[in-house]
Amino acid sequence: GAVVSQHPSRVICKSGTSVKIECRSLDFQATTMFWYRQFPKQSLMLMATSNEGSKATYEQGVEKDKFLINHASLTLSTLTVTSAHPEDSSFYICSARDPKPINEKLFFGSGTQLSVL
Amino acid sequence: KQEVTQIPAALSVPEGENLVLNCSFTDSAIYNLQWFRQDPGKGLTSLLLIQSSQREQTSGRLNASLDKSSGRSTLYIAASQPGDSATYLCAVNTGNQFYFGTGTSLTVIP
């Protein structure tokens, strides 16, 4: 089945630093990837939709300058948390849509636990 | 806007029991519905996908049903095992976006 790889799985950083999270679709080309944020015991909150070759579409309330998304190729999207602060600590998950029309499945990365000290 | 609700929020059952998880959505104009499993601190694993034209899908001990007109889907787990303990999420695909339920946290007691 389709595989989405997310890296790193865990990162601890100091306040004020930037952190980059990578999301790769390993065996299919994903024109669309999604970035979510998840707080403990809560569901996924969509942050932005990443489209290959164009600007990401951000959900209301998500700071574009804070959470930079780049989707430069059909297999890679990156999320950069700029000038991270403790309130940015969370679990971040990416997903990619299988483009085959018969499936239209979502496949998820394993997530990144970000802790900002 | 599509709203997806899952009931119950948490469920605890003894090993071997059959159980049903519920997912309801407010707008029946969906493309498909997908059930996922999430273990603590991990990403989501796809379990079953039901297209809008289908009524149910089966995989092993799992059976998912879809009643689009009433806005409901159920995930049936037969002969539950401790390894089934996880959070189960349903997601509705409207074609443009995926909407997630709040999840059901399942604990299967040995």
Side-chain angles (χ1 to χ4, degrees), chain A residues 38 43 102 104-106 108 110, chain B residues 31 34 38 43 49 51 101:
Chain A
Q38 186 178 35
S43 190
I102 195 171
E104 281 284 347
K105 274 187 180 180
L106 266 186
F108 282 80
S110 53
Chain B
Y31 189 75
Q34 202 167 345
Q38 185 178 29
L49 179 144
Q51 299 291 352

Side-chain angles (χ1 to χ4, degrees), chain B residues 17-71:
Chain B
E17 270 203 9
N18 304 324
L19 58 101
V20 176
L21 307 180
N22 298 291
C23 172
S24 61
F25 46 96
T26 55
D27 189 342
S28 62
I30 68 170
Y31 189 75
N32 61 43
L33 184 145
Q34 202 167 345
W35 281 93
F36 295 90
R37 168 187 173 138
Q38 185 178 29
D39 293 289
K42 304 290 185 183
L44 277 68
T45 301
S46 179
L47 298 174
L48 289 165
L49 179 144
I50 310 178
Q51 299 291 352
S52 62
S53 58
Q54 296 176 325
R55 297 285 290 183
E56 65 179 279
Q57 281 287 317
T58 299
S59 176
R61 293 183 294 109
L62 306 179
N63 176 278
S65 70
L66 175 64
D67 184 343
K68 201 173 68 164
S69 60
S70 66

Side-chain angles (χ1 to χ4, degrees), chain A residues 37-45, chain B residues 38 87 89 101-103:
Chain A
R37 185 171 180 176
Q38 186 178 35
F39 293 102
K41 298 190 185 300
Q42 294 190 23
S43 190
L44 284 71
M45 181 190 78
Chain B
Q38 185 178 29
T87 296
L89 295 122
T102 47

Side-chain angles (χ1 to χ4, degrees), chain B residues 95-109:
Chain B
N96 294 322
Q97 204 169 112
F98 293 82
Y99 294 88
F100 284 84
T102 47
T104 294
S105 177
L106 173 65
T107 302
V108 181
I109 304 167

Side-chain angles (χ1 to χ4, degrees), chain A residues 2-3 25-33 52 71 73-76 96-100:
Chain A
V3 177
S25 56
L26 298 185
D27 53 0
F28 65 97
Q29 293 183 331
T31 55
T32 304
M33 291 186 176
E52 187 270 335
H71 195 157
S73 78
L74 286 170
T75 59
L76 175 64
R97 188 204 302 250
D98 183 334
K100 293 192 264 307

